[in-house]
Amino acid sequence: MKNTVHELITDLKAAVLIGDLDSIHAAVDQIRGTDDSDLPPSALLPLGEILARLEPADFLQFLDDDDAAVRGAAAAASALAWIAGKKIEPAALDYAADDPAPEVRAAFTQALARAPEKAAAFADAWLTAEPETTRQSGIQLLGQLVQPSLHLIKKLEPFDGAEDQETRTVLVETVNTLGAHGMAGPVLDLLSGWAGRTEPNVWVITRALSASWSLGESVQALEILQKLADRVGEIRPVVRAMERHRP
């Protein structure tokens, strides 16, 4: 798998260096023809870094490609090119944020988060956008920002009630990332609010309070879990989370 990725990166880099569009399209065809098992999502950002060296007109077309790996590389490239000051319309970034493939959105938000101050405005807008996939990008981008504002963290409040499992999964990942990177206080406040809901999301809360970052916050974690237990009873997920925090 590593050899395949290395070959794809090398060939794309050579094509971009030459600057011949036919060579670039041939290298992109190689990406399309690579089996998913040989092209992990982690490869999309490095491929995007190479595409970002091109003029935007030469890679933005790939945002609409049939192949998710090609779209992911192009989405990452669009974010990196925008950060670098190239002419990328905000609509192109909105389009990438609404991509149906999680791996595309992940590569895109990772790239965009390299400029956290600029990216915060997109996170703010996408957290209240209408398409579910765009909101997922907003949640994911928030977790990748360095010390996001309390204003942005509070915007996560309604998402525990999301019916979409992918949204819930991204929410837990973001909450855990924030908790592990110095934002435990605001995250615990968020979780406490969720635990007090009429119908709390047990899966989201217990997943967050079973993560390693929460073990350093056991006193408050147990208080939140007890609040949750008062709502739903001492069911197995709650009891298991509690056990992680008891001496």
Side-chain angles (χ1 to χ4, degrees), residues 164-233:
D164 183 85
Q165 185 57 38
E166 192 172 320
T167 299
R168 293 179 176 185
T169 299
V170 172
L171 178 63
V172 170
E173 290 172 354
T174 290
V175 164
N176 287 339
T177 299
L178 293 173
H181 290 86
M183 306 299 289
V187 167
L188 289 167
D189 290 343
L190 195 65
L191 292 167
S192 181
W194 290 344
R197 304 274 204 221
T198 303
E199 296 182 2
N201 191 318
V202 174
W203 188 86
V204 168
I205 298 167
T206 56
R207 284 295 181 99
L209 291 178
S210 295
S212 57
W213 70 268
S214 70
L215 298 180
E217 310 290 341
S218 288
V219 172
Q220 195 166 348
L222 280 169
E223 291 175 356
I224 295 169
L225 289 166
Q226 186 57 58
K227 181 191 289 191
L228 181 61
D230 291 343
R231 289 285 187 184
V232 302

Side-chain angles (χ1 to χ4, degrees), residues 53-120:
R53 301 173 190 176
L54 297 169
E55 289 303 311
D58 293 332
F59 65 76
L60 285 176
Q61 59 188 299
F62 298 128
L63 287 176
D64 202 28
D65 200 88
D66 289 337
D67 186 78
V70 173
R71 295 200 310 275
S78 68
L80 295 172
W82 177 78
I83 290 170
K86 293 185 178 181
K87 188 173 176 57
I88 303 289
E89 295 297 333
L93 301 181
D94 290 338
Y95 189 82
D98 189 30
D99 194 278
E103 64 270 29
V104 173
R105 300 194 301 274
F108 171 64
T109 55
Q110 286 168 18
L112 193 57
R114 291 186 177 181
E117 292 185 3
K118 292 182 177 181

Side-chain angles (χ1 to χ4, degrees), residues 120-134:
F122 284 100
D124 198 352
W126 291 339
L127 284 166
T128 54
E130 183 56 36
E132 187 80 20
T133 45
T134 300

